[in-house]
Amino acid sequence: MKQIGYYPGYSTLAQKDFWDDATRAVVLKRLEPPAPLRFFGPGEAERLEAVVNQILPQDDRPAERRIAIVPELDKRLYEHRGPGYRYADMPPDGEAYRMGLRAIEEIAQHLFGAEFLYLRNRERDQVLFTLHDGEPPAAKAIFARMSVKHFWLMLVNDVAEVYYAHPWAWDEIGFGGPAYPRGYMRLERGEPEPWEKPEQRYEWAAPEDSLSGECRPLPGSHL
C-alpha cells in the first residue's frame, strides 16, 4: 500500500506493542470502518464532504489510505461533544454546521449561479475564501446570527483535529505516536529514535484549477 508523506516506510502502528492496552485500543479503533451517519442528512453530508475535500484534499492518497473526516464530525455533533465552551456570537455547534452549509450554498449561488457540488475546484475555493476572509457576499441573514470568523475557525479546526488524530496522518508526518510507557530516548539535537525514518522531500502540487497553493493570512492575524 502506497504511503505518501515525508517519511515513506514509517508506520506508527509498528510500535503498537509498546503502548499500554488502553492507548492501543483507542488508536486501533480509529482504523475501523466509519459508523453510519446520524446527524447529517444525505444532502448535508454530501455538501460537507465537498467542503472538507477543499479544505484538506486527499487526492494524492490511494483510496484505502484516505481518512474519513465527515463521519467523525457527524459523530461529534450527534453526541453533542464540544470543546467545553461556546462563543457568545455562535449557536450550538450542530446548528452552526447546518447554518454554515446553507450559507456556503447561498454564496455559491450568488457568485456562480450553481450549487457548490457542481462548481470547479477554483470556484469552490473562491466560495470558501470568502469565509476565510470574513467577507461573505451572500447569506447575510445567516451571518447576522452567527460569526463568520468563528464558524470558519470551528470548521477548519474540526477537520484538522480529525485528520491528525488518525495514525495514517501520523505516518505522513513522522509522528512517533504515544510515548508511554516506553518513552523517548533521544531528546536532544532533533535526532530520530531508532524506529523512526529519515525525512525525505515530498513533492505535491495543488491542482492547476485550484487556489490551494495560495497562502492568505487570516484577517487580523499573522497566521
Side-chain angles (χ1 to χ4, degrees), residues 2-223:
K2 178 185 177 185
Q3 175 192 321
I4 60 101
Y6 293 87
Y7 302 89
Y10 176 69
S11 171
T12 307
L13 293 176
Q15 301 301 309
K16 66 180 185 298
D17 291 342
F18 296 96
W19 305 340
D20 62 63
D21 292 342
T23 300
R24 187 165 43 248
V26 167
V27 175
L28 293 181
K29 189 169 181 58
R30 297 172 187 172
L31 298 171
E32 295 178 357
L37 300 181
R38 294 173 293 178
F39 180 82
F40 292 113
E44 292 173 324
E46 189 178 15
R47 192 175 304 139
L48 181 59
E49 188 75 47
V51 170
V52 168
N53 287 340
Q54 296 303 121
I55 295 173
L56 207 163
Q58 300 186 59
D59 308 58
D60 55 339
R61 288 106 167 129
E64 62 273 21
R65 291 284 292 198
R66 293 178 185 171
I67 297 168
I69 295 175
V70 170
E72 287 300 318
L73 299 182
D74 182 274
K75 182 180 179 184
R76 173 175 100 71
L77 297 173
Y78 181 79
E79 295 176 351
H80 301 287
R81 286 188 289 109
Y85 66 88
R86 176 158 58 90
Y87 289 106
D89 55 8
M90 288 291 288
D93 289 357
E95 186 179 348
Y97 264 92
R98 289 204 159 101
M99 292 168 63
L101 290 173
R102 291 200 304 272
I104 288 170
E105 196 56 49
E106 288 188 29
I107 297 169
Q109 293 286 354
H110 175 83
L111 291 178
F112 303 106
E115 294 182 28
F116 186 81
L117 286 173
Y118 299 120
L119 300 181
R120 297 177 300 163
N121 270 330
R122 189 177 190 84
E123 294 167 340
R124 288 182 176 185
D125 285 348
Q126 286 178 271
V127 170
L128 297 180
F129 262 125
T130 70
L131 302 182
H132 169 280
D133 294 339
E135 297 178 350
K140 301 297 183 186
I142 291 176
F143 289 117
R145 299 172 51 207
M146 175 174 77
S147 162
V148 60
K149 171 186 173 182
H150 288 148
F151 169 69
W152 179 249
L153 286 176
M154 178 179 71
L155 175 61
V156 174
N157 283 341
D158 278 353
V159 170
E161 184 173 310
V162 171
Y163 186 82
Y164 286 107
H166 200 285
W168 292 343
W170 299 347
D171 293 347
E172 295 171 9
I173 62 175
F175 174 55
Y180 47 85
R182 178 181 56 188
Y184 292 111
M185 56 188 292
R186 295 177 178 172
L187 301 177
E188 298 180 351
R189 299 189 299 276
E191 293 181 355
E193 301 291 342
W195 60 86
E196 294 178 332
K197 299 286 185 182
E199 180 179 348
Q200 296 183 23
R201 184 67 186 167
Y202 175 65
E203 300 290 350
W204 179 83
E208 289 186 1
D209 64 340
S210 168
L211 298 175
S212 297
E214 292 190 11
C215 177
R216 298 187 190 179
L218 282 172
S221 81
H222 300 292
L223 300 177

